[in-house]
Amino acid sequence: MKDYTKAQAEAITCLDEPLQIIACAGSGKTQVISQRIARILAQPGVQPRNVVAFTFTEKAAAELKDRVLGIVSRENGDVTGLAEMYIGTMHGYCLDLLQRLVPDTFKFSVLSDITARLLVDRNSRKSGLTVCPTSLASTPRLKRYLHSKLYLQAMSVLREDTIDESQIPPGVVAAQVDYLKLLYSKASFDFTEMINLTVQMLEGDPAEDEDAAAVQAHVREDIRYVVVDEYQDVNPLQEQLIRGLVQFGANLCVVGDDDQTIYQWRGSQVSNIVTFAGRYQGVRQVTLADNFRSSEGIVELAQSVASLIPSGERLAKEMVSAGSQKWERGDLLALTFDDDAAETAWICDRIEQLRGIPFQGSPGAEPRGLSWSDCAVLYRSVRADADSLVAELRRRNIPYVVKGLNRLFDSPEIQAVVGIFRAMIGEITDNDLRQLWLDAGLLPDLLRWDDALTVLEQGRDFDRGKRWGIYNIQRLYLDFLEALELREETLSGAPERGELVFYQLGKFSQVISDFEQIYFNTSPAEKYDAFVKWLTHQAPDYYADSDADAGYATPDAVTLATVHQAKGMQWPAVFVPCLRKNRFPSKRQGGVGLFHVIPETAVDQPDRYKGTVQDETRLFYVAVTRAQKYLALTFSPGHSQLYRNRSLLFDHCAAQTWVSTRQSTKPLPDKIEPKALQETPQVTISFSELKYLLECPYSFKLRFLYGFNPPIHEALGYGKGLHDGLAEVHKKAIAGELLGPSDAAELVDRHLYLPFAYPELRTTLRTSAIKAVERYFAVHGEEIPRTLHSEKQIQVHVAPGVTVDGRVDLIRRLDTDELSIVDFKSTDRAQAEDVTRDQLHVYAVGYEELTGENADLIEVLNLDEAGRNTREEVEDSLLAEIRDRIREAGDSIRSNTLPRLDNWTHHCERCDLVALCRDKPNPPAMLR
DNA sequence: CAGATAGACGTTTTT
DNA sequence: CGTCTATCTG
């Protein structure tokens, strides 16, 4: 405990009172939370499953998990059972909770922003979109495509915020009812509904609703400690969730910094954190004021920025520098330039100057030379302002990464791909298409073009068969690429180009999946027509700010990001350019907005959704506190009238004594060898991903790094439905309730969801599913009471930062008293889950980590009529070997060495993406 | 010099 | 559609 400050130690040891930790920037918050969780776990009688910790992002969760694991294994030497502690996002928690305890939701899947929009657009009336009234005189109704985003925002706000329902127009209420009806009829959650339904379960009457009773019983029995990180960004619905989880007396600890609230436009409410102590009884407040990240100059500057926020809207606190960095005159700069070009040039000059300057991460550490990745340029808007810097960095050959902006549809490669479908419906000629592909540099082998055209020709023929499912867009796309024999290596240009192009092609495969998931059951001609229209008019906008990070490897490059994306990060040198009036603080937005659907007065603190000067000040505070030592704030007049003047934030900073307004002419210290700080990224993969990785690293790369998806199969959902049905059987058995063959039809009807099947297939599959369940009861009925666990969540920690997680179908005690790990297998041709011995041994490793107990047997139970079951002993030698192989697999992801198999194997035979990898070997001459 | 009016312009994003 | 700026008007 002596490495901690007094405040930190107080936070760590306070386990029994409601605790509010106010953590200033760089105060070692994550370390404190992890240490506190380790303390909780060390108490006698506390099990890992008694602890729930929420983070804002998956990334933050991975980091926290790894820290806790590190501390626990160091201090206790044993991490058994830790997989049962939940550390993750609230969304993930709610989804998991529902799909464990509420059988009706087992079959539900989650819509992304994009697929939710597609669903609303396609069902414009049924979703309520076009019937939802607005207060606009000129646009009395919302329009398809144009307003689906706004409509979804309103649908979220209505559920997430504190709303005065009496003020909501009846038409809007009716629209919302329609929307939810559609969502549930499609067995889908949007991001809000996972939390909303969980809250309903937590607040429902257990006497009336058996699902609510099950959820509440679980919470009452298991949850004893709840920790909420980034508490300042919690919205009212999430606050309700937290209250529901602690309603039976669990301890609550919230951690946050009100000065860093930057998501109020998404509904988060600063007042949650500001009034926390007044809303819960006997709250202990601890302020972590020591900043271990930045120099005194930066801390003082940040303090002066925070003081611009009116005192009634923030918690009083005084951040102090712990002296981890030394402030020197000239580290902090506020500079003005005549134009954009001069500003950009200076930033590049400065980055080049700083490269190789000795830097110590903490006092006493070995100095290293700063490198590219130690510099970050943070914008209010990357989209609006970053172009000129990108051009200059490229001109100077300085490596850089622009976060979160990919502009997928701008690239000639994607335009060429879009051309395939435009040509298909006759919007452009085949010659135009060829020209597009030539211009994009995607035709290494012109001879193959005719084969590709044949694929197109066949695709155009809508009289091939009656079933709409055979007119599969994804299939056509992959066939087209296959006909061209397009390979990563054979593309012209620099070697990295192949990787870049494949990344784009893979993203496009994801675009097709998104579309086809919603439009699968549309007549072929209409479907292709709608696809092209969507690709030209909507998709570029939908995907404009979609995720662009390619894998886990971190390049040594300058980071360009928005301030929002920089949250939680730090760099030795930070640049904040384009500090222009109306940009930062940003001018308020016009346009058709939320309050044209929902009356402003019905919402508590409606200003959140509009953006205030205080919000912008908090955002700027976040930007400043990212810097460890060097911080440059710059301004040059923008091109348009609106952005000609200096930002008031810039002027405020320039007036601070710690800041220089002219760069010093004194020479910088002597340079040493630049050495990038290599952070080992956290790698978390699922069992199914691991399966691909162990079989063929390149197949893993194509699927999970590039994003290629296999075509949708009409029977998709069959295997899942069977699994879910049996899961309910076994879960009920654990609770003491035994189902039998007469329940088979009801089970299948509850769990089998076949969104892509045509009517005839649906009937066939339903019948065979019922038979399979009946057969299961007939063959295994007597063993059902021997269930120990069903759908058991397990995790394997192989090496620091490498986690594999997944679920084991069934764990049971045989009549021989042996412990058996069981995997169900069904012939679901869409997702032929081939369970290998390797994979089952991974389960055995996971089970051992979870319970400390060794499994004796691994079994595969085939649910098919003709299928064979297998049963074999767990092999200890294989267990050790599998650990090594997973560790290697983790390393290969991090270093991005994911090569093809050396030669054609049986894995290639069954791989549905093999066309993107290699040719089929020629059959032996005799067979030709 | 206050007030009216025309014209320019349009952010951030996890789950 | 709303906000900010420049310019015009009395």
Side-chain angles (χ1 to χ4, degrees), chain A residues 42 121 149 328 330 350 360 502 511 588 685 775 910:
Chain A
D121 281 336
K149 193 178 183 178
E328 290 163 290
R350 176 79 168 165
Q360 289 171 286
F502 260 60
V511 171
R588 283 188 173 194
I685 53 175
R775 197 163 43 238
R910 280 198 325 259

Side-chain angles (χ1 to χ4, degrees), chain A residues 606-646:
Chain A
D607 267 2
R608 317 205 301 285
Y609 292 104
K610 294 183 180 168
T612 63
V613 186
Q614 276 89 288
D615 298 339
E616 297 285 317
T617 308
R618 290 192 166 100
L619 191 60
F620 186 66
Y621 174 87
V622 170
V624 168
T625 51
R626 297 311 97 192
Q628 291 177 270
K629 184 165 167 68
Y630 302 102
L631 175 67
L633 310 167
T634 61
F635 163 81
S636 69
H639 297 294
S640 76
Q641 296 280 357
L642 263 179
Y643 305 113
R644 275 186 322 161
N645 297 316
R646 284 192 313 274

Side-chain angles (χ1 to χ4, degrees), chain A residues 282-571:
Chain A
V283 170
R284 171 107 69 112
Q285 273 183 320
V286 178
T287 304
L288 306 178
D290 298 277
N291 179 313
F292 297 94
R293 174 186 297 154
S294 312
S295 68
E296 190 184 2
I298 288 165
V299 168
E300 289 301 320
L301 177 65
Q303 277 283 105
S304 78
V305 171
S307 69
L308 297 173
I309 302 165
S311 57
E313 290 185 44
R314 63 184 290 253
L315 294 163
K317 58 183 159 308
E318 197 74 22
M319 177 166 63
V320 287
S321 170
S324 300
Q325 294 295 330
K326 198 174 144 215
W327 172 80
E328 290 163 290
R329 168 62 61 194
D331 287 353
L332 276 58
L333 296 167
L335 306 176
T336 54
F337 298 89
D338 291 339
D339 58 31
D340 188 68
E343 184 181 15
T344 300
W346 181 83
I347 292 172
C348 292
D349 288 347
R350 176 79 168 165
I351 290 172
E352 284 171 341
Q353 279 167 18
L354 288 175
R355 185 157 187 261
I357 297 291
F359 177 81
Q360 289 171 286
S362 56
E366 183 67 25
R368 65 182 175 92
L370 289 179
S371 191
W372 306 123
S373 57
D374 293 308
C375 300
V377 187
L378 305 182
Y379 289 91
R380 176 67 246 255
S381 164
V382 167
R383 205 189 300 266
D385 289 331
D387 285 351
S388 64
L389 182 65
V390 167
E392 184 64 11
L393 287 167
R394 182 175 297 169
R395 202 183 63 78
R396 298 200 193 192
N397 281 322
I398 299 176
Y400 66 91
V401 228
V402 187
K403 282 212 151 192
L405 196 69
N406 60 8
R407 293 186 190 164
L408 184 70
F409 282 81
D410 287 359
S411 70
E413 289 86 358
I414 292 301
Q415 283 310 311
V417 171
V418 170
I420 302 175
F421 302 98
R422 296 177 61 202
M424 228 194 101
I425 65 161
E427 209 180 273
I428 58 171
T429 66
D430 291 353
N431 274 338
D432 295 340
L433 178 60
R434 195 174 73 140
Q435 199 54 49
L436 278 173
W437 279 68
L438 280 171
D439 292 347
L442 289 176
L443 282 187
D445 185 358
L446 262 177
L447 291 173
R448 305 221 127 254
W449 183 249
D450 284 343
D451 293 347
L453 280 188
T454 313
V455 171
L456 210 57
E457 211 45 62
Q458 284 167 358
R460 274 188 195 121
D461 176 11
F462 292 142
D463 295 320
R464 271 174 293 159
K466 267 190 163 166
R467 276 161 43 205
W468 291 349
I470 61 171
Y471 306 97
N472 192 301
I473 303 180
Q474 189 80 258
R475 177 85 278 152
L476 183 86
Y477 176 55
L478 293 175
D479 285 349
F480 191 89
L481 296 181
E482 176 173 10
L484 287 174
E485 285 189 3
L486 207 67
R487 299 287 145 73
E488 212 176 317
E489 297 77 9
T490 52
L491 285 160
S492 58
E496 312 87 69
R497 176 154 187 265
E499 187 149 288
L500 214 73
V501 170
F502 260 60
Y503 180 74
Q504 289 174 312
L505 295 178
K507 273 268 154 188
F508 193 81
S509 173
Q510 182 60 52
V511 171
I512 297 178
S513 290
D514 287 346
F515 179 84
E516 219 162 24
Q517 193 194 326
I518 305 296
Y519 279 81
F520 192 82
N521 294 315
T522 304
S523 74
E526 220 181 308
K527 172 164 143 181
Y528 276 96
D529 210 52
F531 185 49
V532 172
K533 283 215 182 87
W534 182 70
L535 285 178
T536 27
H537 299 112
Q538 276 77 48
D541 176 45
Y542 286 26
Y543 289 90
D545 41 41
S546 67
D547 226 8
D549 56 5
Y552 295 91
T554 37
D556 181 16
V558 177
T559 301
L560 273 66
T562 61
V563 184
H564 290 90
Q565 290 160 335
K567 187 179 186 178
M569 313 232 248
Q570 59 176 35
W571 291 270

Side-chain angles (χ1 to χ4, degrees), chain A residues 42 87 91 101 159 162 232 359 464 725 745 762 831 907:
Chain A
I87 298 183
H91 295 84
L101 300 173
R159 286 170 291 161
T162 323
Q232 75 282 354
F359 177 81
R464 271 174 293 159
R762 184 162 296 151
Q831 257 184 330
H907 294 310

